[in-house]
């Protein structure tokens, strides 16, 4: 069948479907948190193999290869996207990067190549920044020229469509999909709200992913989540803010706080099954 003849959907006929108790059931996650709370660690060190990691961040993930087992390292590929000049992301750079991302996803995931593995966009916040610069900003500029003002949310139509198309395509390839997101300070009229943050992400992502997990550090000595005192020890925690498997009791998972969270923990809660061959905690211990 040629590309022109390819149908834009797949079909699963329940009448002929036999559940496989050993089959890995992939889903998508938004992993959110402040700097240093373990978003990349969770994604790279606890997720099912093989792994394809797309870096749209300020730091290369190469250092994590040193912390991996030989098996995990051999099954991991890292792709680094960065501005082509010291001036930062230009519109031309962004368009090239988005096109390249589509090409590499097709090459690495199409036809079940990453079945049961994990595809990571880290960070989804910067990825969305690039999409906004390439597709939202030009539309806003056009509105300003044509109407003398910007028409608010209408400028986001194409950007939202691109995000939905890419995320839904990734989810359809039989792999786990993780998008990490940074947090931004929430503000009130008088200034920033202490201890209050929201994920910096495209609004459509929250609807499309099955699970949203917000990571934070909790001090073992004073109990604070923003403690910076020296010589205090801290534990990684994950708070479930969306849990969309629609099973009985599934909504009871919302608000649950997991110490040292891992993909195997989330998978067990989501499916009731064990996820083979991955570390049991965020620390990989």
């Amino acid at each position: 069948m040629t590309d022109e003849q390819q149908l834009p959907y797949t079909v699963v006929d329940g009448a002929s479907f036999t559940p496989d108790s050993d089959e890995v059931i992939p889903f998508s996650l938004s992993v959110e948190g402040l700097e240093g709370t373990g978003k990349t660690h969770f994604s790279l060190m606890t997720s099912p193999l093989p792994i394809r990691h797309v870096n749209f961040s300020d730091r290369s993930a190469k250092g994590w290869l040193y912390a991996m087992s030989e098996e995990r390292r051999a099954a991991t590929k890292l792709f680094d996207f960065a501005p082509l000049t010291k001036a930062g992301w230009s519109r031309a750079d962004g368009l090239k990067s988005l096109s390249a991302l589509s090409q590499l996803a097709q090459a690495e995931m199409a036809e079940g190549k990453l079945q049961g593995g994990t595809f990571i966009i880290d960070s989804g916040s910067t990825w969305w920044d690039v999409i906004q610069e390439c597709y939202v900003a030009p539309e806003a500029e056009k509105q300003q020229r044509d109407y003398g003002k910007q028409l608010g949310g209408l400028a986001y139509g194409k950007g939202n469509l691109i995000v939905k198309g890419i995320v839904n395509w990734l989810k359809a390839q039989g792999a786990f999909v993780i998008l990490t997101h940074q947090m931004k300070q929430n503000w009130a009229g008088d200034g920033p709200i202490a201890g209050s943050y929201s994920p910096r992400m495209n609004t459509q992502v929250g609807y499309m992913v099955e699970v949203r997990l917000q990571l934070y550090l909790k001090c073992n000595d004073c109990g604070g989540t923003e403690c910076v005192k020296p010589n205090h020890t801290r534990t990684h925690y994950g708070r479930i803010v969306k849990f969309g498997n629609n099973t009985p009791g599934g909504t009871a998972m919302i608000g649950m706080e997991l110490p040292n969270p891992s993909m195997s923990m989330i998978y067990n809660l989501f499916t009731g099954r064990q996820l083979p061959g991955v570390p049991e905690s965020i620390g990989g211990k």
Side-chain angles (χ1 to χ4, degrees):
M1 182 179 291
T2 67
D3 289 343
E4 290 75 15
Q5 295 172 318
Q6 183 74 40
L7 294 174
Y9 59 85
T10 59
V11 178
V12 177
D13 186 351
S16 59
F17 178 76
T18 302
D20 182 353
S21 60
D22 295 324
E23 181 182 7
V24 174
I25 303 172
F27 49 85
S28 57
L29 305 88
S30 170
V31 179
E32 306 155 12
L34 294 172
E35 192 75 13
T37 52
K39 299 183 294 295
T40 301
H41 194 168
F42 175 94
S43 304
L44 274 175
M45 301 299 288
T46 79
S47 295
L49 305 176
I51 288 174
R52 300 296 180 261
H53 178 272
V54 176
N55 173 41
F56 264 96
S57 188
D58 298 324
R59 299 190 306 268
S60 171
K62 184 178 178 180
W64 291 108
L65 296 176
Y66 293 91
M68 293 179 181
S69 66
E70 183 176 350
E71 177 190 12
R72 179 163 289 268
R73 187 166 56 247
T76 298
K77 283 186 183 181
L78 307 178
F79 301 88
D80 283 336
F81 286 77
L84 300 179
T85 70
K86 63 182 180 181
W89 286 101
S90 69
R91 201 163 289 174
D93 291 347
L95 288 168
K96 289 178 182 178
S97 294
L98 294 174
S99 175
L101 172 59
S102 296
Q103 293 171 18
L104 81 85
Q106 182 75 23
E108 297 292 335
M109 298 186 74
E111 300 176 351
K113 295 175 186 174
L114 204 64
Q115 187 82 27
T118 310
F119 191 90
I120 304 163
I121 297 181
D122 184 17
S123 76
S125 299
T126 305
W127 177 58
W128 173 229
D129 287 344
V130 174
I131 292 174
Q132 289 183 91
E133 175 59 29
C134 293
Y135 295 101
V136 178
E139 180 59 27
E141 292 164 4
K142 182 177 183 298
Q143 291 176 3
Q144 187 69 45
R145 290 193 305 269
D146 294 347
Y147 305 104
K149 62 179 181 179
Q150 295 182 17
L151 305 179
L154 293 177
Y156 285 83
K158 190 169 184 179
N160 288 339
L161 192 62
I162 289 170
V163 169
K164 287 193 288 187
I166 291 175
V167 173
N168 283 329
W169 185 88
L170 293 173
K171 289 172 59 177
Q173 305 312 306
F176 293 90
V177 177
I178 297 178
L179 295 95
T180 70
H181 292 101
Q182 302 155 0
M183 304 293 276
K184 60 183 179 182
Q185 182 89 50
N186 290 327
W187 287 63
D190 297 332
I193 304 172
S196 179
Y197 303 91
S198 297
R200 197 166 65 81
M201 67 181 185
N202 175 270
T203 56
Q204 303 300 311
V205 172
Y207 295 106
M208 290 186 289
V209 297
E210 283 77 28
V211 176
R212 285 181 56 200
L213 182 70
Q214 289 187 356
L215 303 181
Y216 62 97
L217 293 173
K218 185 174 183 179
C219 179
N220 298 321
D221 297 280
C222 70
T225 56
E226 296 188 40
C227 173
V228 293
K229 295 178 182 178
N231 302 317
H232 283 205
T233 61
R234 297 161 184 85
T235 298
H236 289 272
Y237 275 83
R239 181 185 297 109
I240 296 173
V241 295
K242 178 183 179 182
F243 199 78
N245 67 347
N246 295 320
T247 58
T251 56
M253 302 295 179
I254 297 173
M256 180 180 290
E257 298 182 344
L258 306 172
N260 296 316
S262 68
M263 275 293 289
S264 60
M265 289 182 188
I266 301 299
Y267 186 83
N268 179 253
L269 291 172
F270 196 85
T271 67
R273 303 180 180 186
Q274 298 300 315
L275 185 60
V278 295
E280 292 299 319
S281 74
I282 196 170
K285 302 297 184 184

